[in-house]
Amino acid sequence: MSDSMHEQWMGEALALAREALKYEEVPVGAVVVKDGVVIGRGFNTVIMDQDPTAHAEIKALRAAARHVGNYRLLGCDLYVTLEPCPMCAGALVNARLKTVVFGARDPKAGAGGSLFQVLKNPLLNHQCDILEGIGAEESVDMLRKFFKARRQ
């Protein structure tokens, strides 16, 4: 896939992260893409939903699974603004995602190689390809500003 397509899909994930900001949620957005079409979208709603599993990736996976009528999302790619946590990475592996594209690394909870390696763990029954750094600058900037404002 071309760099411009990766940037386009990450742009949609970044727009969803900005939507999370409107609700004072951690600004993370995600989209699931199959055959050049977005079939699932999500942004963090942990606080709003009072649900610790309401991460952007999980919400996008649920929408995509409903769209295709199957929990297995074969041939699908996920674009997310922040490296998935262990919970989300486990769900992505279980959904059999082809590729996970993320913007910012998460040194405190990343499960795509920063802290843990769940997405490409050879001990699991499936491994996802990983592409990182697409949209990283905007993702990092949004996260830094969000947490700086929370500390004030």
PDB file of all heavy atoms in Angstrom, residues 34 39 64-65 68-76 93-97 125:
ATOM      1  N   LYS A  34     -10.762  -2.469   5.192  1.00  0.00           N
ATOM      2  CA  LYS A  34     -10.770  -3.702   4.391  1.00  0.00           C
ATOM      3  C   LYS A  34     -10.995  -3.319   2.933  1.00  0.00           C
ATOM      4  O   LYS A  34     -11.956  -2.611   2.626  1.00  0.00           O
ATOM      5  CB  LYS A  34     -11.869  -4.657   4.859  1.00  0.00           C
ATOM      6  CG  LYS A  34     -11.892  -5.958   4.071  1.00  0.00           C
ATOM      7  CD  LYS A  34     -12.879  -6.936   4.665  1.00  0.00           C
ATOM      8  CE  LYS A  34     -12.948  -8.225   3.873  1.00  0.00           C
ATOM      9  NZ  LYS A  34     -11.791  -9.064   4.013  1.00  0.00           N
ATOM     10  N   ILE A  39     -14.359   0.076   7.612  1.00  0.00           N
ATOM     11  CA  ILE A  39     -15.514  -0.719   8.040  1.00  0.00           C
ATOM     12  C   ILE A  39     -15.737  -0.645   9.550  1.00  0.00           C
ATOM     13  O   ILE A  39     -16.702  -1.221  10.065  1.00  0.00           O
ATOM     14  CB  ILE A  39     -15.401  -2.188   7.591  1.00  0.00           C
ATOM     15  CG1 ILE A  39     -14.178  -2.868   8.204  1.00  0.00           C
ATOM     16  CG2 ILE A  39     -15.380  -2.279   6.065  1.00  0.00           C
ATOM     17  CD1 ILE A  39     -14.162  -4.378   8.045  1.00  0.00           C
ATOM     18  N   ALA A  64     -16.313  -3.184  13.102  1.00  0.00           N
ATOM     19  CA  ALA A  64     -15.893  -3.929  11.907  1.00  0.00           C
ATOM     20  C   ALA A  64     -16.453  -5.357  11.923  1.00  0.00           C
ATOM     21  O   ALA A  64     -16.905  -5.855  10.886  1.00  0.00           O
ATOM     22  CB  ALA A  64     -14.369  -3.952  11.819  1.00  0.00           C
ATOM     23  N   ALA A  65     -16.429  -5.997  13.075  1.00  0.00           N
ATOM     24  CA  ALA A  65     -16.957  -7.361  13.183  1.00  0.00           C
ATOM     25  C   ALA A  65     -18.447  -7.393  12.871  1.00  0.00           C
ATOM     26  O   ALA A  65     -18.928  -8.302  12.177  1.00  0.00           O
ATOM     27  CB  ALA A  65     -16.672  -7.921  14.581  1.00  0.00           C
ATOM     28  N   VAL A  68     -18.854  -7.063   8.994  1.00  0.00           N
ATOM     29  CA  VAL A  68     -18.592  -8.268   8.190  1.00  0.00           C
ATOM     30  C   VAL A  68     -19.363  -9.493   8.682  1.00  0.00           C
ATOM     31  O   VAL A  68     -19.396 -10.507   8.009  1.00  0.00           O
ATOM     32  CB  VAL A  68     -17.078  -8.593   8.092  1.00  0.00           C
ATOM     33  CG1 VAL A  68     -16.311  -7.463   7.452  1.00  0.00           C
ATOM     34  CG2 VAL A  68     -16.490  -8.964   9.430  1.00  0.00           C
ATOM     35  N   GLY A  69     -19.959  -9.396   9.873  1.00  0.00           N
ATOM     36  CA  GLY A  69     -20.714 -10.527  10.407  1.00  0.00           C
ATOM     37  C   GLY A  69     -19.840 -11.652  10.915  1.00  0.00           C
ATOM     38  O   GLY A  69     -20.238 -12.814  10.899  1.00  0.00           O
ATOM     39  N   ASN A  70     -18.630 -11.303  11.387  1.00  0.00           N
ATOM     40  CA  ASN A  70     -17.706 -12.326  11.863  1.00  0.00           C
ATOM     41  C   ASN A  70     -16.670 -11.667  12.761  1.00  0.00           C
ATOM     42  O   ASN A  70     -16.233 -10.545  12.479  1.00  0.00           O
ATOM     43  CB  ASN A  70     -17.009 -12.996  10.669  1.00  0.00           C
ATOM     44  CG  ASN A  70     -16.301 -14.280  11.023  1.00  0.00           C
ATOM     45  OD1 ASN A  70     -15.803 -14.457  12.134  1.00  0.00           O
ATOM     46  ND2 ASN A  70     -16.242 -15.193  10.060  1.00  0.00           N
ATOM     47  N   TYR A  71     -16.266 -12.354  13.821  1.00  0.00           N
ATOM     48  CA  TYR A  71     -15.229 -11.792  14.692  1.00  0.00           C
ATOM     49  C   TYR A  71     -13.856 -11.855  14.040  1.00  0.00           C
ATOM     50  O   TYR A  71     -12.951 -11.123  14.438  1.00  0.00           O
ATOM     51  CB  TYR A  71     -15.193 -12.514  16.052  1.00  0.00           C
ATOM     52  CG  TYR A  71     -14.542 -13.875  16.008  1.00  0.00           C
ATOM     53  CD1 TYR A  71     -13.193 -14.024  16.354  1.00  0.00           C
ATOM     54  CD2 TYR A  71     -15.255 -15.004  15.635  1.00  0.00           C
ATOM     55  CE1 TYR A  71     -12.587 -15.267  16.320  1.00  0.00           C
ATOM     56  CE2 TYR A  71     -14.652 -16.245  15.606  1.00  0.00           C
ATOM     57  CZ  TYR A  71     -13.323 -16.377  15.952  1.00  0.00           C
ATOM     58  OH  TYR A  71     -12.716 -17.606  15.918  1.00  0.00           O
ATOM     59  N   ARG A  72     -13.687 -12.711  13.067  1.00  0.00           N
ATOM     60  CA  ARG A  72     -12.412 -12.784  12.357  1.00  0.00           C
ATOM     61  C   ARG A  72     -12.402 -11.734  11.263  1.00  0.00           C
ATOM     62  O   ARG A  72     -13.249 -11.751  10.369  1.00  0.00           O
ATOM     63  CB  ARG A  72     -12.191 -14.172  11.767  1.00  0.00           C
ATOM     64  CG  ARG A  72     -11.908 -15.191  12.827  1.00  0.00           C
ATOM     65  CD  ARG A  72     -11.493 -16.494  12.230  1.00  0.00           C
ATOM     66  NE  ARG A  72     -11.137 -17.424  13.292  1.00  0.00           N
ATOM     67  CZ  ARG A  72     -10.814 -18.670  13.088  1.00  0.00           C
ATOM     68  NH1 ARG A  72     -10.784 -19.161  11.858  1.00  0.00           N
ATOM     69  NH2 ARG A  72     -10.502 -19.446  14.105  1.00  0.00           N
ATOM     70  N   LEU A  73     -11.433 -10.858  11.348  1.00  0.00           N
ATOM     71  CA  LEU A  73     -11.330  -9.748  10.402  1.00  0.00           C
ATOM     72  C   LEU A  73     -10.170  -9.989   9.439  1.00  0.00           C
ATOM     73  O   LEU A  73      -9.242  -9.186   9.334  1.00  0.00           O
ATOM     74  CB  LEU A  73     -11.179  -8.429  11.168  1.00  0.00           C
ATOM     75  CG  LEU A  73     -12.371  -8.097  12.071  1.00  0.00           C
ATOM     76  CD1 LEU A  73     -12.071  -6.883  12.940  1.00  0.00           C
ATOM     77  CD2 LEU A  73     -13.634  -7.891  11.259  1.00  0.00           C
ATOM     78  N   LEU A  74     -10.253 -11.108   8.747  1.00  0.00           N
ATOM     79  CA  LEU A  74      -9.202 -11.500   7.815  1.00  0.00           C
ATOM     80  C   LEU A  74      -9.048 -10.462   6.711  1.00  0.00           C
ATOM     81  O   LEU A  74     -10.030  -9.955   6.173  1.00  0.00           O
ATOM     82  CB  LEU A  74      -9.521 -12.869   7.208  1.00  0.00           C
ATOM     83  CG  LEU A  74      -9.690 -14.002   8.227  1.00  0.00           C
ATOM     84  CD1 LEU A  74     -10.159 -15.271   7.534  1.00  0.00           C
ATOM     85  CD2 LEU A  74      -8.404 -14.244   8.987  1.00  0.00           C
ATOM     86  N   GLY A  75      -7.810 -10.128   6.406  1.00  0.00           N
ATOM     87  CA  GLY A  75      -7.528  -9.163   5.342  1.00  0.00           C
ATOM     88  C   GLY A  75      -7.753  -7.717   5.742  1.00  0.00           C
ATOM     89  O   GLY A  75      -7.717  -6.840   4.883  1.00  0.00           O
ATOM     90  N   CYS A  76      -7.981  -7.475   7.027  1.00  0.00           N
ATOM     91  CA  CYS A  76      -8.230  -6.112   7.495  1.00  0.00           C
ATOM     92  C   CYS A  76      -6.979  -5.521   8.150  1.00  0.00           C
ATOM     93  O   CYS A  76      -6.159  -6.249   8.708  1.00  0.00           O
ATOM     94  CB  CYS A  76      -9.362  -6.101   8.522  1.00  0.00           C
ATOM     95  SG  CYS A  76     -10.969  -6.546   7.837  1.00  0.00           S
ATOM     96  N   VAL A  93      -4.950  -9.612  17.752  1.00  0.00           N
ATOM     97  CA  VAL A  93      -4.460 -10.938  17.370  1.00  0.00           C
ATOM     98  C   VAL A  93      -5.638 -11.902  17.227  1.00  0.00           C
ATOM     99  O   VAL A  93      -5.732 -12.647  16.250  1.00  0.00           O
ATOM    100  CB  VAL A  93      -3.417 -11.457  18.391  1.00  0.00           C
ATOM    101  CG1 VAL A  93      -3.109 -12.923  18.170  1.00  0.00           C
ATOM    102  CG2 VAL A  93      -2.142 -10.619  18.306  1.00  0.00           C
ATOM    103  N   ASN A  94      -6.554 -11.894  18.198  1.00  0.00           N
ATOM    104  CA  ASN A  94      -7.714 -12.792  18.144  1.00  0.00           C
ATOM    105  C   ASN A  94      -8.597 -12.514  16.944  1.00  0.00           C
ATOM    106  O   ASN A  94      -9.217 -13.436  16.398  1.00  0.00           O
ATOM    107  CB  ASN A  94      -8.532 -12.697  19.436  1.00  0.00           C
ATOM    108  CG  ASN A  94      -7.866 -13.421  20.576  1.00  0.00           C
ATOM    109  OD1 ASN A  94      -7.141 -14.380  20.376  1.00  0.00           O
ATOM    110  ND2 ASN A  94      -8.111 -12.959  21.793  1.00  0.00           N
ATOM    111  N   ALA A  95      -8.660 -11.255  16.513  1.00  0.00           N
ATOM    112  CA  ALA A  95      -9.460 -10.890  15.342  1.00  0.00           C
ATOM    113  C   ALA A  95      -8.740 -11.207  14.037  1.00  0.00           C
ATOM    114  O   ALA A  95      -9.322 -11.077  12.967  1.00  0.00           O
ATOM    115  CB  ALA A  95      -9.820  -9.405  15.394  1.00  0.00           C
ATOM    116  N   ARG A  96      -7.480 -11.615  14.128  1.00  0.00           N
ATOM    117  CA  ARG A  96      -6.671 -11.992  12.962  1.00  0.00           C
ATOM    118  C   ARG A  96      -6.420 -10.814  12.019  1.00  0.00           C
ATOM    119  O   ARG A  96      -6.443 -10.962  10.799  1.00  0.00           O
ATOM    120  CB  ARG A  96      -7.283 -13.134  12.164  1.00  0.00           C
ATOM    121  CG  ARG A  96      -7.808 -14.358  12.897  1.00  0.00           C
ATOM    122  CD  ARG A  96      -6.784 -15.126  13.648  1.00  0.00           C
ATOM    123  NE  ARG A  96      -7.167 -16.488  13.993  1.00  0.00           N
ATOM    124  CZ  ARG A  96      -7.935 -16.841  15.030  1.00  0.00           C
ATOM    125  NH1 ARG A  96      -8.499 -15.930  15.796  1.00  0.00           N
ATOM    126  NH2 ARG A  96      -8.138 -18.119  15.314  1.00  0.00           N
ATOM    127  N   LEU A  97      -6.194  -9.621  12.597  1.00  0.00           N
ATOM    128  CA  LEU A  97      -5.873  -8.464  11.768  1.00  0.00           C
ATOM    129  C   LEU A  97      -4.608  -8.745  10.973  1.00  0.00           C
ATOM    130  O   LEU A  97      -3.677  -9.373  11.471  1.00  0.00           O
ATOM    131  CB  LEU A  97      -5.643  -7.229  12.643  1.00  0.00           C
ATOM    132  CG  LEU A  97      -6.831  -6.316  12.938  1.00  0.00           C
ATOM    133  CD1 LEU A  97      -7.179  -5.462  11.762  1.00  0.00           C
ATOM    134  CD2 LEU A  97      -8.006  -7.051  13.471  1.00  0.00           C
ATOM    135  N   ASN A 125      -1.205 -17.889  18.176  1.00  0.00           N
ATOM    136  CA  ASN A 125      -1.689 -18.560  16.961  1.00  0.00           C
ATOM    137  C   ASN A 125      -1.753 -17.644  15.740  1.00  0.00           C
ATOM    138  O   ASN A 125      -2.035 -18.098  14.643  1.00  0.00           O
ATOM    139  CB  ASN A 125      -3.066 -19.173  17.219  1.00  0.00           C
ATOM    140  CG  ASN A 125      -4.122 -18.120  17.507  1.00  0.00           C
ATOM    141  OD1 ASN A 125      -3.807 -17.019  17.954  1.00  0.00           O
ATOM    142  ND2 ASN A 125      -5.371 -18.450  17.269  1.00  0.00           N
TER     143      ASN A 125
END
